[in-house]
Amino acid sequence: MDKIGIIVDNDSPKSLAMAVNLGHTAIASETEVLVYFTFDGLSHLLEGEQDLSEIEDLLDAGMPNPYDLLDMLVSDGGDLVTTVACTTTLDMLQWDKDAIDDSLTTKFAGAATFLEEVEDADQVFTF
């Protein structure tokens, strides 16, 4: 496998954990990963502290913080990982780009750009 796309459109930290775990698995096998954050999923890229109450029991049981895993995916993935903040969603929600964490976001683009970039992907997953 050479490339996968991951769409994160859900604000659940559990969904983020699954998406990021898939991304880490992909880069371990030298697979390029494009993660597209749109709709409610865009909230994962906001600066500041995130609400983890939904997964508190999982964290207590030893699951890593999904936001730490996202940070590691971006920093460890290098050229294999692209994280995209959906500009259409930003416009719809009237959020300023400055609200998005630059350390987690490698690109700002809309759906057309995402579709072009995953055209040659082996798989596209949605969380």
Side-chain angles (χ1 to χ4, degrees), residues 36-37 42 84-92 97 108-111:
Y36 185 64
F37 291 89
L42 193 57
V84 182
C86 176
T87 53
T88 305
T89 300
L90 282 171
D91 291 344
M92 281 186 336
K97 283 184 179 180
F108 289 89

Side-chain angles (χ1 to χ4, degrees), residues 26-48:
I27 64 169
S29 63
E30 299 294 315
T31 298
E32 185 180 350
V33 178
L34 179 69
V35 188
Y36 185 64
F37 291 89
T38 188
F39 293 104
D40 293 337
L42 193 57
S43 65
H44 297 301
L45 298 179
L46 291 174
E47 288 188 326

